[in-house]
Amino acid sequence: MPPRKPTPEGDTDFSRKRATINDVARLAGVSKKTVSRVINDSPSVQQETRERIEAVIKQTGYVPDPQARGLAFRRSFLIGLIYDNPNPQYVVNMQLGLLDAMRGSGFELVVHPCDRASPPLVDDIRNFIERQKLYGVVLTPSVSEDERIAEMLREIDCAYIRVASVALDAPGHMIETQDRLGGLAAARHLAELGHKSIGFISGVSTFRSSHERRSGLEEGLAEHGLTLAADHIAVGAYTFESGRDCARQLLSLPNRPTAIFAGNDEMAAGALHAARELRLSVPGDVSIVGYDDFQIASRVWPPLTTVHTPTRRIGQMAAEKLMGRETADTAPEDRLPSIVVRQSSGPPPQ
Amino acid sequence: MPPRKPTPEGDTDFSRKRATINDVARLAGVSKKTVSRVINDSPSVQQETRERIEAVIKQTGYVPDPQARGLAFRRSFLIGLIYDNPNPQYVVNMQLGLLDAMRGSGFELVVHPCDRASPPLVDDIRNFIERQKLYGVVLTPSVSEDERIAEMLREIDCAYIRVASVALDAPGHMIETQDRLGGLAAARHLAELGHKSIGFISGVSTFRSSHERRSGLEEGLAEHGLTLAADHIAVGAYTFESGRDCARQLLSLPNRPTAIFAGNDEMAAGALHAARELRLSVPGDVSIVGYDDFQIASRVWPPLTTVHTPTRRIGQMAAEKLMGRETADTAPEDRLPSIVVRQSSGPPPQ
DNA sequence: CTGAAAGCGCTTACAG
DNA sequence: CTGAAAGCGCTTACAG
């Protein structure tokens, strides 16, 4: 078979080479500007013309080139995920949620981990956004809580969504995870089991969630006439090791708590190790409750009672909001933290 | 302060608006083509001219627009990560490694999880690549093992790197993780502890790693005159639940093994749960060895002896190779699996 | 070694 | 409602 001669005037085989806006315009007998109007859902196209163009688009399998479109729009079709949370499961769940919403939209996800303590952080993010002309960005804790970044984003007029435990910005820029409610659920669970002496292992204080989870805990205890004793609070760092160390400290107290609420599952897993070292049984001697409901919660022994966080759903909501495609309201149980009772919590010892 | 009048002929304030190739050309008194030559490291630019242009680039902070460059090149500066491994830690480590190598290169990472069982898989990936005109892609197991995808990649002439346990392609397209060596290390460790009766929980058979890890195990056992009994092999699915179920089966055998090598940490964690249910102590009654050395390995009790996989380093090597920037040879211990001894393995019971 | 023209595949003004 | 021209910021192919 001899190589096919290119037929510049009437080529209609787009199985190998992708069709362009010019091909569609030629085949539909209109100008490329009119094709552009159809692509961009402009209302000012005659119904009949629109249908003819749409037929050609379908037939040729034409898809607009995001690069060319981006160059002309001065804006790409890339969405950036900017994060500093080191937990792999959080990161992956968030990515999956964003991608859930982005599937079929023509947008793609560019990931950008960062270090909040890095001095050039704000400039780095700014360069990343300006260089790629990002369509918008999603920020997760704790970088989402950094006002310097939010300010820069407004300055360069970049669309953004901040995922955080409380409203830090205008509603259009926020997805709230309401971690206070998670702390509240943990407190109620433990109080209802009969615990009166409860310990708290906090996450690192630079994460807003640490404070929200604690304030929810205190609110829930107060409902039952209980308070969080000062010496029953230990400040960890959301890491396994810090959870273990904090739990050692709390469980070595003469008046040791009968239950510990840890700020996340990693620290709760550390607390489990500390209890084992001290030959305390869980939940017989001490109940332990985590936060996140990541895989680790069901891998440790005993499986952890924990607060489930709908991270993937949160990610989906964030991307929908960024793309201006908010779907119908989500049921609260789908987007708010909720307690998952497993085997690490039980009534206090007699 | 009155708004500055734009000065089309001599604007030199690029603190707000980014400089373009035209600005640099004008300021350096050359054509934009010559600036383009400097950007692209063309040798045919006079030293003096080059220096003048470089000075202007530095002064203006000019960075070429990847979108415009991409449109002209017919290729973007995006690298795609295509994966179907559901383990969050694997995914995140791989991403971090790729980003390690990409930092400062001007490339960005676009993530593309997929489902290998999906019928339109190959077309989806092809559309993803062609639409975004990806510079190249990195594939990880098990999609990296799919020949239909590799074939399509060659057909559309897309640069690609396959990360897999063995060489499935030309060296220029491969990063080998050599999982056989990991199985070998696990076997030697257990044999040296004195185990004679060893069980194996395999990963899902559609992952090449399942077979490589097993063949390494058998090779290591053979070195000590041992073999893997047929009824000591259970086929899991790389999941926690499958590991638990397989271990239940193996540990309920009349001639139960004194040690179990699980194909990954998740299954090893499941095996730990099974041992606990059966009131077998680890490692007193049975030793358990995992594979991956992800965080979970040190969170469970007892902390797992496991095979460490340098996933992040592997990712870094993959991106370097894709960008044609291979650095000096890595020490083998940096890129090969190696055993990490913790507390889940010990001598067999007397 | 250097440049003027044309083009990558789109969109934004501006007309009509 | 539709289109011809100019432009987004680069590079390729061709000259000189």
Side-chain angles (χ1 to χ4, degrees):
Chain A
M1 198 167 62
R4 285 189 320 113
K5 259 232 204 90
T7 51
E9 288 292 307
D11 198 344
T12 54
D13 173 15
F14 301 107
S15 58
R16 292 200 58 88
K17 199 180 177 313
R18 302 181 80 87
T20 70
I21 197 171
N22 287 309
D23 299 317
V24 175
R26 175 169 45 74
L27 260 39
V30 296
S31 77
K32 62 183 182 181
K33 177 57 207 164
T34 304
V35 177
S36 171
R37 287 196 178 90
V38 171
I39 297 168
N40 293 293
D41 281 322
S42 157
S44 56
V45 176
Q46 206 169 259
Q47 185 58 21
E48 190 209 356
T49 313
R50 176 184 303 279
E51 278 165 11
R52 186 149 36 92
I53 293 172
E54 276 167 353
V56 173
I57 288 177
K58 190 159 182 190
Q59 173 212 324
T60 56
Y62 169 67
V63 180
D65 181 330
Q67 220 156 36
R69 223 147 93 91
L71 185 61
F73 268 139
R74 291 158 190 74
R75 177 174 268 208
S76 77
F77 294 92
L78 300 174
I79 289 177
L81 170 62
I82 300 176
Y83 63 95
D84 63 332
N85 183 329
N87 188 292
Q89 180 117 34
Y90 182 84
V91 172
V92 163
N93 287 359
M94 180 57 60
Q95 290 180 359
L96 288 173
L98 295 168
L99 290 165
D100 284 343
M102 292 164 61
R103 197 156 295 127
S105 69
F107 286 98
E108 296 293 340
L109 182 64
V110 179
V111 297
H112 195 83
C114 64
D115 174 7
R116 201 174 167 195
S118 156
L121 173 68
V122 180
D123 285 337
D124 281 352
I125 295 177
R126 183 191 177 128
N127 282 333
F128 168 55
I129 294 172
E130 292 195 326
R131 195 163 304 170
Q132 301 297 328
K133 300 210 211 75
L134 293 188
Y135 179 88
V137 293
V138 172
L139 303 131
T140 64
S142 73
V143 276
S144 64
E145 297 161 8
D146 195 317
E147 281 306 325
R148 299 169 306 165
I149 297 173
E151 218 165 287
M152 176 275 287
L153 259 15
R154 283 178 219 118
E155 191 184 316
I156 65 175
D157 200 31
C158 174
Y160 67 90
I161 301 290
R162 298 165 75 177
V163 173
S165 37
V166 291
L168 302 168
D169 209 318
H173 290 296
M174 283 299 313
I175 296 286
E176 292 169 51
T177 53
Q178 308 206 37
D179 294 34
R180 199 183 47 76
L181 296 181
L184 189 62
R188 285 175 178 163
H189 171 66
L190 290 173
E192 282 161 12
L193 282 170
H195 291 276
K196 311 270 180 227
S197 171
I198 294 172
F200 177 60
I201 302 178
S202 163
V204 64
S205 69
T206 50
F207 276 63
R208 180 65 181 255
S209 57
S210 301
H211 304 98
E212 294 301 317
R213 292 171 192 183
R214 170 175 167 174
S215 100
L217 174 69
E218 293 191 286
E219 184 178 334
L221 294 182
E223 289 177 355
H224 291 260
L226 303 171
T227 56
L228 193 55
D231 65 342
H232 279 180
I233 299 169
V235 178
Y238 277 145
T239 64
F240 173 79
E241 291 77 11
S242 72
R244 187 191 54 206
D245 296 348
C246 287
R248 270 184 199 145
Q249 174 194 323
L250 294 178
L251 294 176
S252 304
L253 250 29
N255 62 335
R256 69 158 196 260
T258 62
I260 289 179
F261 173 43
N264 71 355
D265 289 341
E266 280 287 316
M267 294 197 296
L272 243 29
H273 278 222
R276 189 180 310 270
E277 285 169 10
L278 296 168
R279 306 190 174 287
L280 295 172
S281 90
V282 177
D285 297 315
V286 59
S287 288
I288 293 178
V289 174
Y291 200 110
D292 280 339
D293 193 24
F294 289 154
Q295 283 186 357
I296 187 177
S298 48
R299 306 310 186 240
V300 294
W301 190 270
L304 283 172
T305 291
T306 187
V307 176
H308 177 78
T309 54
T311 307
R312 184 165 177 166
R313 182 76 190 99
I314 292 288
Q316 192 182 342
M317 290 167 60
E320 282 169 353
K321 198 162 200 165
L322 192 59
M323 300 187 300
R325 301 223 191 129
E326 278 179 274
T327 53
D329 243 2
T330 317
E333 58 273 26
D334 256 21
R335 53 180 167 76
L336 295 180
S338 57
I339 192 94
V340 176
V341 179
R342 295 206 182 86
Q343 299 165 49
S344 67
S345 59
Q350 296 306 317
Chain B
M1 198 166 63
R4 284 188 321 113
K5 256 229 205 93
T7 52
E9 287 293 305
D11 199 344
T12 54
D13 174 16
F14 300 108
S15 57
R16 292 201 57 89
K17 200 180 176 312
R18 301 181 82 86
T20 71
I21 197 171
N22 287 309
D23 298 318
V24 175
R26 175 167 45 73
L27 260 38
V30 296
S31 77
K32 62 185 185 182
K33 177 56 208 163
T34 303
V35 177
S36 171
R37 287 198 178 88
V38 171
I39 295 168
N40 292 294
D41 281 322
S42 158
S44 59
V45 177
Q46 205 168 260
Q47 184 59 22
E48 190 210 358
T49 313
R50 177 185 301 279
E51 279 166 11
R52 186 150 36 92
I53 293 171
E54 277 168 351
V56 174
I57 288 177
K58 192 160 182 189
Q59 173 211 325
T60 55
Y62 169 67
V63 180
D65 180 329
Q67 220 156 35
R69 223 147 93 91
L71 184 61
F73 268 139
R74 291 158 190 74
R75 176 173 267 209
S76 77
F77 294 91
L78 300 175
I79 289 177
L81 170 62
I82 300 176
Y83 65 95
D84 63 331
N85 182 328
N87 188 293
Q89 181 117 33
Y90 181 84
V91 173
V92 162
N93 287 359
M94 181 57 60
Q95 291 180 358
L96 288 174
L98 296 168
L99 290 165
D100 284 343
M102 292 164 61
R103 197 155 296 127
S105 69
F107 287 98
E108 296 293 340
L109 182 64
V110 180
V111 298
H112 196 84
C114 64
D115 173 8
R116 200 174 168 195
S118 156
L121 172 68
V122 180
D123 285 338
D124 281 352
I125 295 177
R126 183 191 178 129
N127 281 333
F128 169 54
I129 294 171
E130 292 195 327
R131 196 162 304 171
Q132 301 298 326
K133 300 208 210 75
L134 293 189
Y135 179 88
V137 294
V138 172
L139 303 132
T140 64
S142 74
V143 276
S144 64
E145 298 161 6
D146 195 318
E147 282 307 324
R148 299 170 304 165
I149 297 173
E151 217 165 288
M152 177 274 287
L153 259 14
R154 284 179 218 115
E155 190 185 317
I156 66 175
D157 198 32
C158 174
Y160 67 91
I161 302 290
R162 298 165 75 176
V163 173
S165 39
V166 291
L168 301 170
D169 208 318
H173 289 298
M174 284 298 313
I175 296 286
E176 292 169 50
T177 53
Q178 307 205 36
D179 295 33
R180 199 184 46 77
L181 296 182
L184 189 61
R188 286 175 177 163
H189 170 67
L190 290 172
E192 282 161 13
L193 282 170
H195 291 275
K196 311 270 180 225
S197 172
I198 294 172
F200 177 59
I201 302 178
S202 164
V204 64
S205 70
T206 50
F207 277 62
R208 180 66 181 256
S209 57
S210 301
H211 305 98
E212 294 300 317
R213 292 172 191 183
R214 169 174 167 175
S215 101
L217 174 70
E218 293 191 285
E219 185 178 336
L221 293 182
E223 288 177 354
H224 291 260
L226 302 172
T227 55
L228 192 56
D231 64 343
H232 279 178
I233 299 169
V235 177
Y238 277 146
T239 63
F240 173 80
E241 291 76 12
S242 72
R244 188 192 53 207
D245 296 347
C246 287
R248 270 185 200 144
Q249 175 194 323
L250 294 178
L251 294 176
S252 304
L253 250 28
N255 63 336
R256 70 159 195 261
T258 62
I260 290 179
F261 173 43
N264 70 356
D265 290 341
E266 280 286 315
M267 294 197 297
L272 243 28
H273 278 222
R276 188 181 310 269
E277 286 170 10
L278 297 168
R279 306 192 176 284
L280 295 172
S281 91
V282 178
D285 297 316
V286 58
S287 287
I288 293 177
V289 174
Y291 201 111
D292 281 339
D293 193 24
F294 289 155
Q295 283 185 0
I296 187 178
S298 47
R299 304 310 187 240
V300 294
W301 190 269
L304 282 173
T305 291
T306 187
V307 176
H308 177 78
T309 53
T311 307
R312 183 166 176 164
R313 182 77 188 99
I314 293 288
Q316 192 182 342
M317 290 167 59
E320 282 169 354
K321 198 162 200 164
L322 192 59
M323 299 187 300
R325 302 223 189 129
E326 277 179 274
T327 53
D329 243 4
T330 318
E333 59 271 26
D334 256 21
R335 55 179 167 75
L336 296 179
S338 57
I339 190 94
V340 176
V341 179
R342 294 206 182 87
Q343 301 164 49
S344 67
S345 60
Q350 295 305 317

